């Protein structure tokens, strides 16, 4: 049973560019959440997708957007990259309505230069 | 707004010691609480999930307790080993109808041989 997968593993971008990160949820899961973890900090909630719609959003600007596909996989897009966007981006999947438990992927390390 | 605090921020112990990591949260109206382990530069590994109706969970040398009324959880590690060296993160599921996690900033543990 495949767990949560994310791609790419690492990414280096320049300020002002745009980036797309991808996530495939654990088999059987229908909800995907994204978190940003800056160095030395705990992960911060970005947003959550269910049935291809954004259900809840954390305190992140509109430069951060997402999408969920019919197969439940998801993308996180960040426009106009800033140096402060450098972080580990974590994807978590879960099954809505079931025991509250999220399963995390290995993350994508984004470096903005 | 839910806030999660972890004490201590860092801990260094010799191999074999028993130790306790502390987690506190400001809003007792939570669903589940989850403890994670994170190795440097890596994703999150779930250690223990305590459901809202439970008071503790055990897995091997790990025991986690939850006291919702006081807003506290502890993670007890017995007979620590160098391989336990990592950052330990506590996170709570907010009682908002969404499966959103709020994380602490973690306790960085170093176990010396």
């Amino acid at each position: 049973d495949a767990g949560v997968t994310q791609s790419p593993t690492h990414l280096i971008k320049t300020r002002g560019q745009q980036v797309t990160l991808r996530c495939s949820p654990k088999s059987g899961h229908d909800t995907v959440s994204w978190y940003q973890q800056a160095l030395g900090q705990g992960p911060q909630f970005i947003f959550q997708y269910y049935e291809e719609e954004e259900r809840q959003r954390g305190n992140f600007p509109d430069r951060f957007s997402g999408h969920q596909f019919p197969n439940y996989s998801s993308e996180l897009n960040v426009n106009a990259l800033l140096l402060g966007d450098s972080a580990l981006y974590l994807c978590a999947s879960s099954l809505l309505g079931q025991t509250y438990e999220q399963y995390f992927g290995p993350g994508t390390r984004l470096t903005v230069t | 707004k839910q806030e999660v605090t972890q004490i201590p921020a860092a801990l260094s112990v010799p191999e074999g010691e028993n130790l306790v990591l502390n987690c506190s949260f400001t809003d007792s109206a939570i669903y589940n609480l989850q403890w994670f382990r994170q190795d440097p530069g890596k994703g999150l590994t779930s250690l223990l999930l305590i459901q809202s109706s439970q008071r503790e969970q055990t897995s091997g040398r790990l025991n986690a307790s939850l006291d919702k009324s006081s807003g506290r959880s502890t993670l007890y590690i017995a007979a620590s080993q160098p391989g336990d060296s990592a950052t330990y993160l506590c996170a709570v599921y907010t009682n908002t109808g969404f499966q959103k996690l709020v994380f602490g900033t973690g306790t960085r543990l170093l176990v010396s041989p």
Side-chain angles (χ1 to χ4, degrees):
Chain A
D1 177 22
V4 180
T5 60
Q6 292 186 243
S7 63
T9 304
H10 296 91
L11 205 51
I12 299 175
K13 290 287 188 178
T14 304
R15 277 179 299 176
Q17 287 188 318
Q18 178 264 343
V19 68
T20 298
L21 311 181
R22 295 176 175 80
C23 171
S24 291
K26 180 180 169 64
S27 178
H29 283 182
D30 56 11
T31 302
V32 173
S33 302
W34 287 91
Y35 294 83
Q36 179 196 65
Q37 186 179 25
L39 199 62
Q41 301 296 314
Q44 298 290 318
F45 175 77
I46 302 175
F47 42 52
Q48 183 179 92
Y49 277 84
Y50 171 71
E51 289 191 340
E52 303 179 47
E53 291 193 358
E54 183 182 293
R55 299 182 71 235
Q56 191 180 27
R57 188 180 186 90
N59 189 25
F60 280 81
D62 291 344
R63 298 186 298 108
F64 289 77
S65 63
H67 189 77
Q68 185 179 35
F69 299 94
N71 67 352
Y72 307 117
S73 66
S74 177
E75 289 182 348
L76 164 65
N77 300 292
V78 186
N79 295 322
L81 284 167
L82 303 173
L83 294 179
D85 295 331
S86 296
L88 180 67
Y89 288 84
L90 296 163
C91 168
S93 74
S94 55
L95 186 59
L96 194 69
Q98 301 300 311
T99 301
Y100 279 33
E101 183 172 11
Q102 293 189 354
Y103 294 76
F104 282 80
T108 293
R109 171 71 63 184
L110 172 65
T111 301
V112 182
T113 62
Chain B
K1 176 187 173 185
Q2 178 74 266
E3 293 184 358
V4 179
T5 303
Q6 291 188 245
I7 295 173
L11 184 61
S12 182
V13 300
E15 181 177 7
E17 275 203 6
N18 302 324
L19 55 99
V20 175
L21 307 182
N22 296 292
C23 171
S24 62
F25 43 95
T26 55
D27 185 350
S28 62
I30 65 168
Y31 278 125
N32 300 343
L33 183 144
Q34 199 163 359
W35 283 92
F36 295 89
R37 169 187 171 136
Q38 186 172 36
D39 293 293
K42 304 296 185 181
L44 305 182
T45 300
S46 179
L47 296 174
L48 291 166
L49 173 76
I50 308 176
Q51 298 184 22
S52 58
S53 59
Q54 299 174 323
R55 294 190 64 83
E56 67 175 330
Q57 276 287 340
T58 298
S59 176
R61 295 182 294 106
L62 305 180
N63 175 274
S65 66
L66 173 62
D67 184 344
K68 287 176 62 177
S69 61
S70 67
R72 295 184 180 185
S73 176
T74 60
L75 178 66
Y76 175 82
I77 302 177
S80 59
Q81 303 171 357
D84 294 331
S85 299
T87 295
Y88 291 80
L89 292 160
C90 166
V92 299
Y93 287 88
T94 58
N95 186 12
T96 61
F98 299 95
Q99 296 175 358
K100 166 189 168 182
L101 277 167
V102 177
F103 284 84
T105 53
T107 292
R108 193 168 60 254
L109 174 64
L110 176 63
V111 182
S112 304

